[in-house]
Amino acid sequence: MFKVIYVFKVGKMISVTLEGNGVGIKNGSELMNEHGNLFKVVSVGMPRHDNPSDISKSTDVLLTPCNLQKGDELYIA
C-alpha cells in the first residue's frame, strides 16, 4: 500500500508523491485505489536526496489524468 502525500498537476498529467520506496512500481505499470479504479504510471521520478536513507521514504510518479487527493491509498494492480 502506498499513501498519497502530495499531488501536483503537470500539464494534463498529475505528479503524485507516494509514501514508501515504491518497490514494484515502474513505467507503464498500474496503480489501483480501494475502489478498484486504475491509474497508469507514465513515469517514475528519480528524486535527489543528500542522505541516501531518505530515498526509501517516498516515491514520485507521473500519472495519466486522474482525480487523486492527499491521503488516498494506492496498490500495485
Side-chain angles (χ1 to χ4, degrees), residues 13-75:
M13 303 291 182
I14 189 166
S15 175
V16 179
T17 301
L18 303 172
E19 187 175 72
N21 64 11
V23 170
I25 300 175
K26 59 184 179 180
N27 295 356
S29 63
E30 291 183 320
L31 300 175
M32 179 175 59
N33 68 5
E34 61 271 13
H35 304 292
N37 298 316
L38 293 174
F39 309 100
K40 183 160 182 148
V41 177
V42 175
S43 182
V44 179
M46 183 179 277
R48 181 184 175 280
H49 292 281
D50 294 334
N51 184 353
S53 66
D54 288 344
I55 293 172
S56 65
K57 293 181 182 176
S58 66
T59 302
D60 293 321
V61 294
L62 186 65
L63 302 175
T64 54
C66 59
N67 191 23
L68 287 174
Q69 298 179 359
K70 183 178 177 181
D72 287 345
E73 294 178 349
L74 300 174
Y75 306 85

